[in-house]
Amino acid sequence: MALMLAVTTVLLDLPVGWAGATAGIVFSAVTHGFRDRRWPVKAWMVLTGSGEFAKNPQGRCSVDRPSMSSACGSPP
């Protein structure tokens, strides 16, 4: 992650300091760690009326993958 940040910063000539880069990497690690726990996905499914589908681990995986892609701004 740090390597890609460094390459992007250099290629796009972006003014990113050490504090900003560190904050960005920490934020990314924390949010990815939270999303990868699966319980937020299950809770969201139950909250939105998909409780039966959420009981199936394959159902949670099929929801988790596209939600991660859309959270990152890329198509599923």
Side-chain angles (χ1 to χ4, degrees):
M1 187 180 338
L3 177 62
M4 289 307 299
L5 176 63
V7 170
T8 302
T9 302
V10 170
L11 289 177
L12 298 178
D13 193 28
L14 298 172
V16 177
W18 285 107
T22 302
I25 290 170
V26 168
F27 178 79
S28 180
V30 168
T31 57
H32 277 82
F34 175 77
R35 282 286 292 124
D36 286 343
R37 295 302 98 203
R38 299 270 191 261
W39 69 263
V41 174
K42 183 177 180 183
W44 180 256
M45 291 173 71
V46 170
L47 182 69
T48 58
S50 298
E52 286 301 313
F53 196 54
K55 291 178 183 176
N56 179 348
Q58 192 60 32
R60 289 193 303 273
C61 283
S62 64
V63 169
D64 182 46
R65 187 58 52 201
S67 69
M68 181 66 91
S69 296
S70 63
C72 295
S74 59

